[in-house]
Amino acid sequence: MIRDERLNKMEAYINAHQYVSVDELVEQFHVSKATVRRDLDILGEQGMICLLRGGARKKGDVEKELKYSEKLSRNREEKVRICQFASALIQEGQTIFLDTGVTAREMIPFLSEMQDVHVVTNDIWIATNLSTNANIKVTVPGGDIRRGYFTIKGSETEQFLSNLYVDIAFISIDAIDRKFGCSITNNDEVLIKRQMISHSKKSVMIADHSKFESMASWRVCRLSEIDLFITGEELAVDILRCYEQENISIRTV
């Protein structure tokens, strides 16, 4: 089988199976691991697939938001590492915005160990769990609760946050793409996230590796508007290098 034919069939195989390992492709196409990795590199550079450590996955858009319970179980150990590193950026006496979401809630144990920190959040789960700590001031905006996701949203929320300025804004996201930017699946939270990115001294995106090289329906911001991306070491090296080459500040942990 000539290389171009193999590349086409490999792309089709990955798209059909969503995720495949290098070993699986070796067995399927009867070639060496070195050949599979070279082929994957080519497909990755062409933007046809997303490279992962030890394999590849289909490159596609995030069309539907997962249920909260489903989000909780995905890449949790990675999210804990991300939030442990993120929390180390916070200094005593600072005011931070902590975005809603299952990644952000992994900040709770690390924030609970801190002194004299003011946390503003639109996540009632996070606020409730932090409220028992006498050393942390917790502020929540008014608004409507988004059913099933613990998120406070709406015009009242947006008005409150429009008058707020924080030291660090920790933002959650559904998808990250080099061209399209950072995006989410629902329109309710777009303005809130945009406000806090622009109303902070430092904006930090906390996102596990699966969010990269994908797009959701609603763009929040361009990559250049974020001061720092924190993700897991599971992010494929080739993808990491592409972001670094575009002068995007990104840290893997």
Side-chain angles (χ1 to χ4, degrees), residues 4-252:
D4 288 347
E5 181 184 358
R6 187 175 65 247
L7 288 172
N8 289 334
K9 290 187 176 181
M10 190 174 291
E11 179 193 351
Y13 185 84
I14 294 169
N15 287 336
H17 292 77
Q18 304 294 319
Y19 169 82
V20 296
S21 66
V22 169
D23 289 339
E24 184 179 348
L25 292 172
V26 167
E27 182 177 352
Q28 178 68 25
F29 292 94
H30 307 291
V31 292
S32 66
K33 286 187 177 181
T35 298
V36 166
R37 291 192 178 101
R38 283 195 296 269
D39 288 352
L40 292 178
D41 285 343
I42 293 170
L43 292 172
E45 289 172 1
Q46 293 174 346
M48 308 307 293
I49 61 168
C50 289
L51 296 172
L52 301 174
R53 180 172 294 185
R57 68 172 173 83
K58 175 184 178 181
K59 183 172 183 178
D61 297 342
V62 182
E63 298 178 357
K64 184 179 179 181
E65 186 172 21
L66 295 173
K67 292 181 179 179
Y68 197 86
S69 58
E70 294 175 351
K71 290 184 176 184
L72 280 174
S73 60
R74 288 200 167 195
N75 304 316
R76 187 174 182 189
E77 190 272 335
E78 180 186 357
K79 291 172 182 174
V80 171
R81 279 187 273 120
I82 290 168
C83 289
Q84 182 176 19
F85 182 87
S87 66
L89 301 175
I90 305 168
Q91 298 179 13
E92 184 177 331
Q94 287 189 325
T95 297
I96 69 166
F97 173 75
L98 189 53
D99 201 3
T100 186
V102 297
T103 300
R105 69 182 279 178
E106 300 299 344
M107 290 274 280
I108 293 172
F110 306 108
L111 287 169
S112 297
E113 299 173 358
M114 296 183 180
Q115 303 285 329
D116 190 23
V117 173
H118 181 189
V119 178
V120 182
T121 182
N122 62 324
D123 189 301
I124 58 173
W125 178 283
I126 292 172
T128 300
N129 281 271
L130 288 176
S131 64
T132 58
N133 191 320
N135 298 315
I136 296 178
K137 179 182 178 181
V138 181
T139 299
V140 294
D144 302 320
I145 296 176
R146 186 173 174 233
R147 187 173 298 173
Y149 290 92
F150 304 98
T151 302
I152 304 172
K153 64 179 182 64
S155 58
E156 189 177 350
T157 312
E158 294 162 6
Q159 178 61 38
F160 177 89
L161 295 176
S162 69
N163 297 310
L164 178 69
Y165 192 79
V166 300
D167 294 291
I168 309 175
F170 294 97
I171 307 296
S172 298
I173 209 73
D174 291 328
I176 303 169
D177 181 81
R178 276 171 282 167
K179 293 183 179 180
F180 189 65
C182 302
S183 54
I184 58 177
T185 54
N186 73 88
N187 196 26
D188 291 336
E189 301 169 41
V190 171
L191 184 55
I192 292 172
K193 293 177 189 289
R194 285 178 181 170
Q195 284 178 323
M196 296 319 303
I197 290 169
S198 62
H199 292 188
S200 62
K201 291 181 183 177
K202 186 181 184 71
S203 57
V204 178
M205 190 68 71
I206 48 176
D208 70 73
H209 74 284
S210 68
K211 306 294 176 62
F212 286 78
E213 297 301 280
S214 62
M215 290 185 291
S217 301
W218 301 95
R219 181 162 63 188
V220 172
C221 65
R222 299 188 182 278
L223 301 186
S224 58
E225 297 177 61
I226 301 299
D227 295 309
L228 175 64
F229 288 82
I230 306 175
T231 190
E233 60 185 8
E234 291 85 351
L235 184 67
V237 174
D238 289 345
I239 294 177
L240 174 62
R241 287 173 181 166
C242 288
Y243 280 78
E244 290 175 335
Q245 287 170 2
E246 296 186 20
N247 296 318
I248 302 302
S249 180
I250 182 168
R251 177 65 183 262
T252 57

